[in-house]
Amino acid sequence: KQEVTQIPAALSVPEGENLVLNCSFTDSAIYNLQWFRQDPGKGLTSLLLIQSSQREQTSGRLNASLDKSSGRSTLYIAASQPGDSATYLCAVVTGFQKLVFGTGTRLLVSP
Amino acid sequence: DAGVTQSPTHLIKTRGQQVTLRCSPISGHKSVSWYQQVLGQGPQFIFQYYEKEERGRGNFPDRFSARQFPNYSSELNVNALLLGDSALYLCASSLFGYTDTQYFGPGTRLTVL
């Protein structure tokens, strides 16, 4: 059974810092990995999708890497801003047609 | 283009009642998935539909059912509601299914009293 873990569970940083969020998964047989952002009480916003054959993806200040063999992904956020405050979720796609989510990292960026 | 839409936004029901949640995917998307998110946890997979056929089912009781219509919109039905069904129900759409980016709607907040 695929299990996804995200560390840390919560993170508080001052504005401007670069930060790294971690995601690990137990079964390396994944099709892809997706990072999402969720604001309180809201739906999920897709940030980045990494296919299993890729090593990383970049979008603006965000960079996500994938090491499938070790079951790890990281989301790097450069020059953090208060508007980045949200919960960040990673999810992997298995052969059972579904996303398996971690429990998320709650990020607070202070001005 | 409009994103994924869900209705209603909020819903309050009592135990034993039945509820129907609705989802309209992004135009051109043929796959719809449903997820349940309990407070403080990541979303849990309930169903996936592609071209009106069920492609996957999560570990949920038979009280949960869904269908997809010819216009690719979808409904999630939950019968005999329990207190534990209180959650945010999320719908996601994609072009083909699990191999491409999943786009989520704003969710329906269900409270069971």
Side-chain angles (χ1 to χ4, degrees):
Chain A
K1 177 187 173 186
Q2 179 73 267
E3 293 183 359
V4 180
T5 303
Q6 291 188 245
I7 293 174
L11 185 61
S12 183
V13 300
E15 181 177 7
E17 273 203 9
N18 302 324
L19 54 99
V20 175
L21 307 182
N22 297 292
C23 172
S24 61
F25 45 95
T26 54
D27 185 350
S28 62
I30 64 170
Y31 285 92
N32 60 52
L33 183 146
Q34 197 165 351
W35 282 93
F36 295 91
R37 168 192 172 132
Q38 186 173 33
D39 293 290
K42 305 295 185 182
L44 279 63
T45 300
S46 177
L47 298 174
L48 291 164
L49 170 71
I50 309 177
Q51 299 291 351
S52 62
S53 59
Q54 297 176 318
R55 298 283 294 183
E56 65 178 319
Q57 282 286 338
T58 298
S59 176
R61 294 183 294 108
L62 305 179
N63 175 275
S65 66
L66 174 64
D67 184 343
K68 203 172 75 161
S69 61
S70 68
R72 294 180 181 180
S73 176
T74 60
L75 178 66
Y76 175 82
I77 303 177
S80 58
Q81 303 171 357
D84 295 331
S85 299
T87 295
Y88 290 80
L89 294 154
C90 72
V92 297
V93 173
T94 71
F96 295 99
Q97 314 278 350
K98 65 178 182 179
L99 289 167
V100 179
F101 282 87
T103 51
T105 293
R106 194 168 60 254
L107 173 65
L108 176 63
V109 181
S110 303
Chain B
D1 285 340
V4 178
T5 59
Q6 292 186 243
S7 63
T9 304
H10 295 90
L11 206 49
I12 299 175
K13 293 286 188 178
T14 57
R15 283 177 296 175
Q17 285 189 311
Q18 176 264 341
V19 67
T20 298
L21 311 181
R22 296 176 175 82
C23 172
S24 292
I26 293 172
S27 177
H29 285 193
K30 298 182 179 181
S31 175
V32 170
S33 300
W34 287 95
Y35 291 81
Q36 180 196 65
Q37 186 178 27
V38 175
L39 196 63
Q41 297 183 17
Q44 297 292 316
F45 173 74
I46 309 176
F47 287 108
Q48 188 202 39
Y49 279 79
Y50 178 74
E51 288 279 18
K52 302 178 289 296
E53 291 189 3
E54 182 182 302
R55 284 286 186 87
R57 173 185 285 254
N59 188 24
F60 280 80
D62 291 342
R63 299 185 295 108
F64 289 76
S65 63
R67 56 180 174 168
Q68 186 177 33
F69 298 99
N71 66 354
Y72 302 110
S73 66
S74 177
E75 286 183 351
L76 175 70
N77 295 284
V78 187
N79 295 322
L81 285 168
L82 304 174
L83 296 179
D85 295 331
S86 295
L88 181 67
Y89 288 84
L90 296 163
C91 171
S93 81
S94 63
L95 280 170
F96 304 114
Y98 63 92
T99 58
D100 56 317
T101 300
Q102 305 293 306
Y103 295 92
F104 281 79
T108 293
R109 171 71 62 186
L110 173 64
T111 301
V112 182
L113 303 176

